């Protein structure tokens, strides 16, 4: 079965994002296809490269990147939600004259059209 995940919870403070990551890994282990994870609303905070959890805490931001590196799952970030919350890539930082960028490698800024396309091409869309 072909899945798309929609993550609206931040990396820390709720269970949504960590549950989504566990679900994604379980899907892939079971032989399903996961081609896209779309991060929206507070979920864009999963792509903040400057997140620095304590050394004894799970690093969810880097865990999403590891999932991308291992399986090729697209990690799409809503550009409007990201910019509102201070998450940006180098190009948008330059365009907006911001002093720095902080998008974790492996994630890509995109629009809601990417979510619509993923929803049209999957069997199940699961929101966390």
């Amino acid at each position: 079965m072909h899945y798309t995940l929609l993550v609206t919870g931040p990396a820390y403070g709720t269970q949504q994002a960590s549950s989504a990551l566990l679900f994604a890994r379980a899907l892939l282990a079971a032989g399903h296809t996961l081609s896209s994870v779309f991060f929206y609303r507070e979920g864009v905070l999963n792509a903040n490269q400057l997140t620095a959890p304590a050394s004894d805490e799970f690093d969810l931001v880097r865990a999403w990147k590891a999932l991308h590196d291992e399986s090729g799952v697209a990690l799409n970030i809503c550009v409007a939600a990201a910019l509102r919350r201070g998450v940006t890539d180098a190009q948008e930082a330059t365009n907006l004259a911001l002093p720095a960028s902080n998008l974790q490698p492996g994630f890509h800024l995109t629009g809601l059209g990417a979510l619509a396309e993923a929803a049209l091409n999957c069997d199940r869309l699961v929101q966390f």
Side-chain angles (χ1 to χ4, degrees):
M1 191 162 293
H2 190 138
Y3 284 85
T4 294
L5 301 184
L6 173 61
V7 179
T8 58
Y12 298 99
T14 72
Q15 193 66 36
Q16 292 165 288
S18 58
S19 294
L21 179 65
L22 292 172
F23 187 77
R25 290 202 174 277
L27 285 176
L28 295 171
H32 295 288
T33 301
L34 176 62
S35 58
S36 175
V37 180
F38 193 87
F39 297 88
Y40 188 55
R41 297 184 182 160
E42 300 300 323
V44 300
L45 297 173
N46 287 277
N48 186 348
Q49 187 178 34
L50 300 178
T51 302
S55 61
D56 62 342
E57 294 178 359
F58 185 70
D59 190 340
L60 192 54
V61 173
R62 261 55 82 188
W64 282 115
K65 181 187 183 309
L67 178 74
H68 167 75
D69 292 344
E70 295 163 11
S71 61
V73 173
L75 303 176
N76 295 310
I77 303 290
C78 174
V79 63
L83 292 175
R84 270 188 220 109
R85 290 164 178 85
V87 177
T88 185
D89 63 4
Q91 182 178 354
E92 287 297 327
T94 300
N95 293 344
L96 298 170
L98 298 173
S101 62
N102 60 345
L103 185 68
Q104 174 68 31
F107 290 83
H108 300 283
L109 292 178
T110 186
L112 289 175
L115 174 61
E117 182 178 333
L120 288 172
N121 294 317
C122 71
D123 299 313
R124 298 280 188 271
L125 172 65
V126 182
Q127 180 178 354
F128 291 90

